[in-house]
Amino acid sequence: MQQLMKSWVTYILPAGIFNTALNLVFLAVPVYMLVVHDRVLFSFSTATLVTLGTGIMISLAAVAALAYARDRILVQAGNQLVQQMIPRVVDALHRNAAALTPDGYDRGLEDLETLRDAVIQGRFFTFLDLPWMGVYLFVLYVMHPFTGMVALAAVLMAAFFQWLLRIFENRRRTLADVGNAVGRARVTIRAAQAQAAAGMGMASGIARQYRERYAGLLKIKSEAEQVHAGMGAVIRFVHWGGIAGVFTAGTMAFFEEEITVGTMFAAVMVTVRLMMPLERHLSDMAAAIDAAGAYKRLKQFIGPDPVGQKTVLPEPAGQIQVQGLTLSIPGRTLVHGISLDLAPGQTLGVTGPNDAGKTVLCRLLSGIWAPASGEIRLDGALIDQWPARELGRYIGYMPQEPDLLPGTVAENIARFTGGGSDAVIQAARAAGAHDMILKLPQGYDTPILQAGTRLSAGRRQLISLARALYGSPRFLIMDEPHTYLDDTGLKILQGVIHSLKQQKTTTVIVTDRPAMLSSADKLLVIKEGRTAMYGAANEVMAQLAARQQPQQQAAGA
């Protein structure tokens, strides 16, 4: 974020130049009024009036053109913000959603849009008008010291009240914003949850609970809006009182024959322009506070700017070395001290009871989660030494739940990389999903909505397998890939595992089915997050059979 803000200097400087020219040209309006009142009204010169009128119209056209040019620059700055930040925001959203302990922040794109609107509407660039407020105060003082002092008093009073209002609104809007986020999270549910809620009549209870919680938020918002309305009325009174005060001061100076009528009216015009930034700041205050909050959340959520690019390493052969892999959460160890070694092309079967840490191991091996201690090496390099995009090309991951992302079937298989049709079809054929996909309403172009819930779980699992196989990865991780497959799907999966061995793809498969373990070179048994057995598949299978035999005999007796 900091680097992006620094890059905005290229936009702030031109915007500042146009803003300076705009303010200079605007001074032609009070000058016009001064000359007309003091000279033209007494000379009755129509030619002079027409000349001055033409000049002021040209000046006003210049003001409009300069404002348009400045706004175009701000639009470009806002668009650049979105274009540069979308990849980082989306990546951070996905990383947060997949994190071991996600913080629940899902407003990244919404906050980015809020920030863009604030940039385009100039809410972050009000400081460009501050020097000109000093210039206008100086001009008023030059016209007459009394008008300058009255205008300065009005500006100071308005600024003080706006400062108080901003402090109050910052606190109130922050509380309301947090409460709204929590409320939305409680009401927003996935399709499967919605079906259960509808089937058991839960919607009315959820609505009632949200309404009760929202009542407290309405009180906070109402208090903030009432204070804003009251304080806003006071501030606007100061604004218009300042204009009237300058007019009154000018009139008194005119009585003393110290200024002319033209100067008096010119002072009023300058005062109106002087108050415009304060009036705009009052109108934009709520939106500016929201934008500042969005910026703070994005800055915290995205984290510091990346330090340089990681070195791109050669394509790996698929050698996997894991040493002392450990991951814990408060009060519980998920995996502890797991070590394994796989040569390129070897298949590791992972089995164990439910909640033993098998899925945790898969997420660690795929780089989704970072271990608390221990290391994972791919062809000798630590997994975090690989650039994330490059690492993704060489790893295939098939999660236990085959959720798909919004898009087409082809886009999901291609991992949204924009890959060609040939590579997509090749991956689908390798997963045995090609014929099934062709039977979909639009084939590979069938849209996937709501995590693919309109497709059966078995179809989603085959598409998920094709996605994992896309690009012929060197290291493939499959977490219970057979969960939703029928007998035909199981045969396809067994054929895929056999093909992977022939292609020298290193594979880790979590399963409790002996048929899936028959082609494994090594077997890892996990219990309570620790290695219970590990070694050559035939040796571990023999140990398991030896342990089960006395239990079966005892059960038979």
Side-chain angles (χ1 to χ4, degrees):
M1 292 290 287
Q2 292 89 338
Q3 289 297 116
L4 181 61
M5 291 300 179
K6 291 179 181 178
S7 70
W8 280 0
V9 172
T10 57
Y11 292 99
I12 294 175
L13 288 178
I17 292 172
F18 281 113
N19 200 67
T20 299
L22 191 152
N23 280 280
L24 283 172
V25 174
F26 180 84
L27 288 175
V29 176
V31 171
Y32 170 75
M33 295 191 68
L34 188 153
V35 173
V36 168
H37 278 85
D38 290 353
R39 301 290 178 86
V40 178
L41 287 179
F42 297 100
S43 67
F44 293 92
S45 174
T46 304
T48 303
L49 181 62
V50 170
T51 301
L52 290 174
T54 303
I56 196 62
M57 293 303 296
I58 293 174
S59 299
L60 293 175
V63 167
L66 290 169
Y68 172 76
R70 181 194 59 190
D71 292 344
R72 283 291 302 272
I73 291 173
L74 294 180
V75 168
Q76 292 177 9
N79 291 342
Q80 184 202 41
L81 166 72
V82 173
Q83 291 296 324
Q84 291 190 6
M85 290 303 299
I86 279 179
R88 295 188 62 189
V89 171
V90 172
D91 179 66
L93 283 170
H94 286 189
R95 282 190 287 105
N96 179 67
L100 180 61
T101 54
D103 58 17
Y105 177 72
D106 59 356
R107 298 176 51 190
L109 295 176
E110 179 183 340
D111 280 342
L112 184 59
E113 190 65 23
T114 300
L115 197 59
R116 174 187 177 274
D117 291 343
V119 171
I120 288 176
Q121 294 170 19
R123 294 187 178 119
F124 284 144
F125 302 105
T126 54
F127 64 89
L128 295 176
D129 284 322
L130 294 180
W132 283 98
M133 293 182 68
V135 171
Y136 293 137
L137 285 171
F138 177 75
V139 169
L140 287 170
Y141 184 83
V142 169
M143 288 179 172
H144 195 278
F146 193 25
T147 59
M149 288 187 290
V150 171
L152 177 61
V155 167
L156 292 178
M157 288 178 62
F160 174 73
F161 284 122
Q162 288 199 11
W163 174 70
L164 289 179
L165 179 60
R166 190 177 186 91
I167 291 177
F168 178 83
E169 289 223 343
N170 261 323
R171 183 173 64 255
R172 292 290 183 175
R173 292 190 71 84
T174 299
L175 289 173
D177 186 69
V178 172
N180 266 332
V182 174
R184 285 195 302 267
R186 289 179 175 272
V187 175
T188 304
I189 57 178
R190 294 179 58 182
Q193 297 170 323
Q195 292 166 8
M200 293 182 284
M202 298 165 58
S204 59
I206 294 173
R208 176 182 53 78
Q209 186 184 70
Y210 179 72
R211 184 179 60 187
E212 292 173 355
R213 292 179 179 274
Y214 193 67
L217 295 178
L218 283 178
K219 182 178 179 181
I220 295 174
K221 286 186 172 183
S222 297
E223 290 177 356
E225 288 162 357
Q226 290 173 8
V227 171
H228 184 92
M231 192 74 76
V234 172
I235 294 171
R236 286 191 170 90
F237 170 79
V238 173
H239 288 177
W240 291 105
I243 295 172
V246 168
F247 183 75
T248 302
T251 303
M252 293 176 66
F254 173 76
F255 289 163
E256 299 295 328
E257 298 184 353
E258 295 176 352
I259 62 173
T260 63
V261 173
T263 304
M264 181 176 66
F265 281 101
V268 172
M269 290 298 300
V270 173
T271 307
V272 170
R273 184 66 181 88
L274 172 66
M275 293 298 180
M276 283 178 62
L278 293 174
E279 180 67 27
R280 181 181 178 189
H281 182 264
L282 177 63
S283 301
D284 290 350
M285 184 177 293
I289 291 173
D290 289 342
Y295 172 75
K296 291 178 182 177
R297 287 191 297 270
L298 284 171
K299 183 178 178 181
Q300 180 180 4
F301 176 61
I302 295 174
D305 295 328
V307 182
Q309 295 289 334
K310 294 182 179 180
T311 302
V312 177
L313 301 175
E315 181 177 353
Q319 182 183 16
I320 300 296
Q321 296 169 305
V322 177
Q323 185 66 39
L325 205 59
T326 299
L327 181 63
S328 302
I329 58 176
R332 182 185 173 194
T333 298
L334 301 178
V335 293
H336 180 75
I338 293 181
S339 299
L340 54 92
D341 191 345
L342 298 175
Q346 284 190 323
T347 298
L348 171 70
V350 181
T351 189
N354 291 335
D355 205 26
K358 304 185 295 295
T359 296
V360 174
L361 176 62
C362 290
R363 291 173 180 172
L364 289 170
L365 292 176
S366 61
I368 297 174
W369 292 348
S373 62
E375 60 184 31
I376 305 170
R377 293 184 178 271
L378 174 61
D379 278 29
L382 290 172
I383 198 169
D384 59 2
Q385 292 177 351
W386 291 79
R389 183 173 296 181
E390 294 296 320
L391 181 65
R393 290 174 50 199
Y394 304 130
I395 290 183
Y397 175 57
M398 185 177 178
Q400 188 173 0
E401 290 297 326
D403 283 346
L404 303 176
L405 298 174
T408 65
V409 171
E411 288 172 334
N412 271 271
I413 293 176
R415 307 180 185 183
F416 293 88
T417 59
S421 300
D422 292 342
V424 170
I425 294 174
Q426 179 183 350
R429 289 186 184 278
H434 177 68
D435 293 336
M436 178 273 291
I437 293 173
L438 292 180
K439 294 177 182 178
L440 296 176
Q442 295 173 250
Y444 282 91
D445 297 321
T446 299
I448 296 203
L449 305 173
Q450 297 179 348
T453 51
R454 293 185 181 180
L455 298 176
S456 68
R459 287 179 172 179
R460 296 201 310 271
Q461 198 146 44
L462 286 177
I463 295 173
S464 177
L465 177 59
R467 180 178 60 188
L469 295 174
Y470 178 79
S472 301
R474 306 311 307 156
F475 181 36
L476 184 65
I477 304 151
M478 296 186 287
D479 188 1
E480 297 191 12
H482 48 72
T483 305
Y484 301 105
L485 298 180
D486 55 17
D487 291 340
T488 302
L490 289 174
K491 291 179 181 179
I492 292 174
L493 180 59
Q494 288 175 327
V496 169
I497 295 173
H498 180 70
S499 298
L500 291 171
K501 288 186 68 66
Q502 292 180 330
Q503 297 167 10
K504 298 296 182 182
T505 300
T506 308
T507 305
V508 172
I509 177 170
V510 174
T511 181
D512 56 358
R513 301 195 179 189
M516 295 294 167
L517 298 174
S518 60
S519 58
D521 300 292
K522 293 184 177 181
L523 190 60
L524 171 66
V525 181
I526 301 179
K527 289 185 179 180
E528 297 180 353
R530 299 173 184 269
T531 301
M533 295 182 192
Y534 173 67
N538 55 352
E539 296 177 1
V540 175
M541 292 293 285
Q543 294 179 42
L544 287 173
R547 289 189 180 185
Q548 292 175 357
Q549 190 172 15
Q551 298 175 358
Q552 293 173 353
Q553 291 175 351

